[in-house]
Amino acid sequence: MVKLRLKRCGRKQRVVYRIVAIDVRSRREGRDLQKVGFYDPIKNKTYLNVPAILYFLEKGAQPTETVYAILKKAEVF
């Protein structure tokens, strides 16, 4: 099963997240299938590759609660 979830990047005290499509069995920093977005909580900026996100959602990918909130705020849903 595939999930859309956050992958932590950046440095100490300056975190940014990538939104990735990843297998459920992989750990948070594991190998992802595809990078589909970017989220910076400090600057509150979001970049989303909407066609890729919709592709994975159509194939049955489940977003995590946090990713769901980000997508809802960006009006993808």
Side-chain angles (χ1 to χ4, degrees):
M1 186 167 138
V2 176
K3 279 204 172 227
L4 296 175
R5 64 182 181 199
L6 296 176
K7 187 174 185 178
R8 186 181 167 124
C9 300
R11 59 178 198 252
K12 228 177 1 177
Q13 302 296 321
R14 185 70 186 97
V15 67
V16 292
Y17 295 98
R18 284 193 181 131
I19 301 170
V20 295
I22 193 166
D23 188 27
V24 172
R25 296 167 292 196
S26 298
R27 60 184 211 265
R28 181 186 73 183
E29 304 302 329
R31 184 166 166 254
D32 50 54
L33 300 172
Q34 185 177 359
K35 296 170 184 73
V36 295
F38 181 85
Y39 173 60
D40 186 352
I42 296 172
K43 293 182 181 177
N44 203 16
K45 290 189 178 182
T46 306
Y47 166 76
L48 300 173
N49 184 354
V50 177
I53 291 170
L54 293 177
Y55 170 79
F56 281 106
L57 290 174
E58 288 172 0
K59 296 293 182 184
Q62 297 293 316
T64 60
E65 291 180 18
T66 309
V67 173
Y68 181 81
I70 292 169
L71 295 178
K72 193 170 181 182
K73 186 176 177 185
E75 298 177 353
V76 174
F77 288 113

